[in-house]
Amino acid sequence: MAIEHGLPEAFSPDSYDAIIVGAGYAGAVCARRLAESCGFKVCVLERRDHIAGNAYDCYDEAGVLIHQYGPHIYHTTNERVHQFLSRFTEWTPYQHKVLADIHGTLMPVPFNHTSLKLAFGDEKGEALYQKLVMTFGENKKVPIMELRNQNDPELTEVADYVYENVFLYYTMKQWGKTPDQIDPSITGRVPVFVGDDDRYFPAAPYQGMPAVSYTDLFEHMLDHDLISVFLGVDARDLITVGESEACVCGKPYGGEIVYTGPLDELFGYDLGALPYRTLDMVFETLDVDRFQPVGTVNYTVSEDFTRITEFKNMTGQVLPGKTTIMREYSKAYEPDSGQTPYYVINEPQNIELYKRYRERVAGMLSFHVVGRLAEYRYYDMDGVVASALELTDEIIAQH
Ligand code: FAD
Ligand code: UDP
């Protein structure tokens, strides 16, 4: 692999069989597969000064391994995704646990048997738990919006408590809307758990942290003789998409283009901007071994930030006397402001607008869109990898 900053003077798009925009999961998976399965010479353009997209991690000044763009916990049920990524890293076992700070008491989230007893006291908590077991069965996940629909006073009491104390204020901070106003699939990511398991991703058989780092995983994935990565290059300066073809450096391009950035941005927002939420991430290094008992504590009834992550608790790094934490403040994203569009907003009118952009590239068989931004989907890392594997299956089948 060659990683260079900026484009060389002699850069010639025609010397590449594929141009990939973005060096996150979507771009890196496509680059690797097109290089090794099609023998393509691949050019990856990345406008940041590093690879790995939002999964990028690095050591801060205190020597703590931090996740620059928010806490990333690898978890998947997808065997193929796991096999593919495991070619480029070993894994350190890690099971993510989250506590919610509810008026000073730390309770497991997803809200579970333990949380019920902490919230209602041992006796009443146990009685309510038995009611949940009778209604839904043991070790079952119940989305909060489903729990709220039950017609039973005891279940309503649980639902009201969880809605008010776990979901309402956190969701207001994160999305600027109440849980009733957003797509139920979003709060459904963190269902009430009728059981004792206190892991955030109980269903994922594959879960952990890359043994060295996410960035190291990407270095290995992109390490191929046929892949060249150019950092600090905004593809919009090179690529223009017309009605029926894409041009690179002003000339129609004959190879494959894989685009993993925001689709509205590519078209200069000419149909309107797609809404996103962005985050201000505030890092702080403290002169203590440990700040909090788990990787992430959610502030569900207080504070302006949504959650605090302590990286050493996730990576397992041993570094006495220092720890780095990070607070996340969510707000509306402003296009072309230098902010990062972190979260798509899954609402029907936004999906409609996205589809109109998508239609404009649908007829261009060599122009592909993939990834959390380009597909305008609330994907976890494994979802993006799965999508990139599927896309490259199709491209490989045609060559
Ligand atoms: P990105 O990682 O965004 O990569 C796209 C790349 O394209 C970027 O580097 C961008 O700079 C580049 N690019 C865009 N436009 C251009 C252009 N015009 N020219 C050049 N380059 C361009 N997933 C999990 O599985 N577990 C987690 O715990 C988890 N936590 C998360 C926490 C936060 C705060 C966020 C925001 C996301 C989290 N995710 C998590 C999701 C995960 O980050 C994404 O699924 C994944 O990183 C998306 O990969 P991608 O390649 O689609 O996009
Ligand atoms: N959520 C909440 N309280 C919590 C955890 C999650 O209200 O303690 C809601 C909130 O709307 C959030 C969504 O559930 O945006 C999904 O949470 P998740 O932790 O999956 O979000 P992510 O890690 O992607 O930011």
Side-chain angles (χ1 to χ4, degrees):
M1 165 187 51
I3 294 193
E4 293 178 36
H5 285 261
L7 282 180
E9 289 240 339
F11 177 74
S12 163
D14 293 334
S15 64
Y16 297 97
D17 303 298
I19 294 183
I20 292 180
V21 179
Y25 277 101
V29 170
C30 290
R32 180 74 191 202
R33 292 207 78 217
L34 295 183
E36 67 185 8
S37 297
C38 296
F40 278 8
K41 200 173 163 212
V42 180
C43 160
V44 180
L45 305 174
E46 169 55 60
R47 65 181 164 200
R48 287 170 167 164
D49 63 0
H50 58 74
I51 57 172
N54 285 342
Y56 175 70
D57 53 6
C58 60
Y59 287 88
D60 67 8
E61 281 177 9
V64 180
L65 181 60
I66 57 162
H67 296 177
Q68 185 81 56
Y69 303 99
H72 278 70
I73 300 96
Y74 169 69
H75 59 99
T76 190
T77 55
N78 187 318
E79 175 85 31
R80 186 181 183 204
V81 165
H82 187 65
Q83 294 302 332
F84 182 78
L85 291 179
S86 299
R87 291 175 52 201
F88 311 111
T89 186
E90 293 189 354
W91 302 99
T92 302
Y94 171 70
Q95 300 284 322
H96 192 46
K97 292 189 179 174
V98 175
L99 295 170
D101 184 316
I102 301 179
H103 304 297
T105 303
L106 295 178
M107 304 188 195
V109 173
F111 202 86
N112 68 1
H113 191 183
T114 310
S115 321
L116 264 174
K117 292 205 276 192
L118 286 167
F120 291 95
D122 277 353
E123 205 175 312
K124 184 167 179 189
E126 187 59 35
L128 291 171
Y129 178 68
Q130 292 309 329
K131 186 72 190 240
L132 285 169
V133 171
M134 264 167 32
T135 313
F136 300 103
E138 212 157 14
N139 294 325
K140 289 287 183 313
K141 295 176 184 170
V142 188
I144 181 60
M145 302 315 277
E146 186 183 327
L147 189 58
R148 289 191 91 206
N149 285 337
Q150 301 299 312
N151 248 337
D152 174 284
E154 281 178 304
L155 295 179
T156 301
E157 192 176 357
V158 176
D160 286 350
Y161 182 89
V162 177
Y163 184 84
E164 297 285 335
N165 291 287
V166 179
F167 286 97
L168 182 57
Y169 186 56
Y170 187 102
T171 298
M172 287 293 293
K173 286 189 282 188
Q174 176 69 12
W175 300 101
K177 296 196 167 169
T178 65
D180 309 84
Q181 293 169 326
I182 66 174
D183 193 274
S185 66
I186 296 171
T187 49
R189 286 167 60 92
V190 191
V192 169
F193 189 71
V194 187
D196 290 296
D197 199 331
D198 61 351
R199 293 172 300 161
Y200 209 59
F201 307 112
Y206 308 112
Q207 189 172 162
M209 287 286 155
V212 176
S213 66
Y214 285 103
T215 305
D216 172 80
L217 183 166
F218 276 79
E219 278 167 6
H220 285 101
M221 188 155 36
L222 290 166
D223 184 13
H224 190 285
D225 287 346
L226 293 173
I227 301 178
S228 301
V229 181
F230 300 102
L231 301 176
V233 179
D234 193 325
R236 287 178 299 172
D237 296 337
L238 276 72
I239 299 178
T240 46
V241 179
E243 295 222 333
S244 59
E245 64 183 5
C247 289
V248 182
C249 299
K251 287 198 286 186
Y253 182 66
E256 306 287 336
I257 297 179
V258 176
Y259 179 77
T260 76
L263 212 46
D264 56 342
E265 200 187 277
L266 186 67
F267 289 102
Y269 313 101
D270 61 2
L271 298 174
L274 286 165
Y276 295 89
R277 298 292 286 181
T278 189
L279 298 170
D280 283 336
M281 297 184 189
V282 180
F283 292 82
E284 186 180 2
T285 299
L286 306 166
D287 293 329
V288 294
D289 286 335
R290 199 169 211 209
F291 172 76
Q292 64 189 26
V294 289
T296 299
V297 174
N298 289 356
Y299 287 79
T300 56
V301 292
S302 61
E303 311 300 344
D304 293 339
F305 50 85
T306 50
R307 57 189 178 187
I308 298 184
T309 293
E310 183 174 12
F311 296 100
K312 276 169 60 183
N313 289 351
M314 299 190 322
T315 59
Q317 185 184 3
V318 178
L319 183 70
K322 293 267 178 215
T323 194
T324 298
I325 60 171
M326 191 270 281
R327 296 177 172 83
E328 289 172 48
Y329 299 82
S330 174
K331 61 185 187 189
Y333 167 75
E334 291 164 31
D336 268 345
S337 59
Q339 297 171 341
T340 305
Y342 285 116
Y343 289 90
V344 306
I345 302 179
N346 184 4
E347 290 178 9
Q349 71 278 17
N350 303 344
I351 306 299
E352 277 313 305
L353 177 58
Y354 171 75
K355 281 186 184 156
R356 289 176 59 209
Y357 279 116
R358 185 78 189 246
E359 272 163 23
R360 289 164 73 168
V361 294
M364 283 183 237
L365 298 182
S366 298
F367 190 96
H368 313 278
V369 292
V370 61
R372 176 153 154 146
L373 294 166
E375 292 182 64
Y376 201 70
R377 279 189 62 172
Y378 194 170
Y379 272 135
D380 286 325
M381 296 183 277
D382 62 332
V384 171
V385 174
S387 187
L389 290 173
E390 279 165 31
L391 169 65
T392 44
D393 282 347
E394 288 168 23
I395 300 175
I396 291 164
Q398 287 160 11
H399 286 87

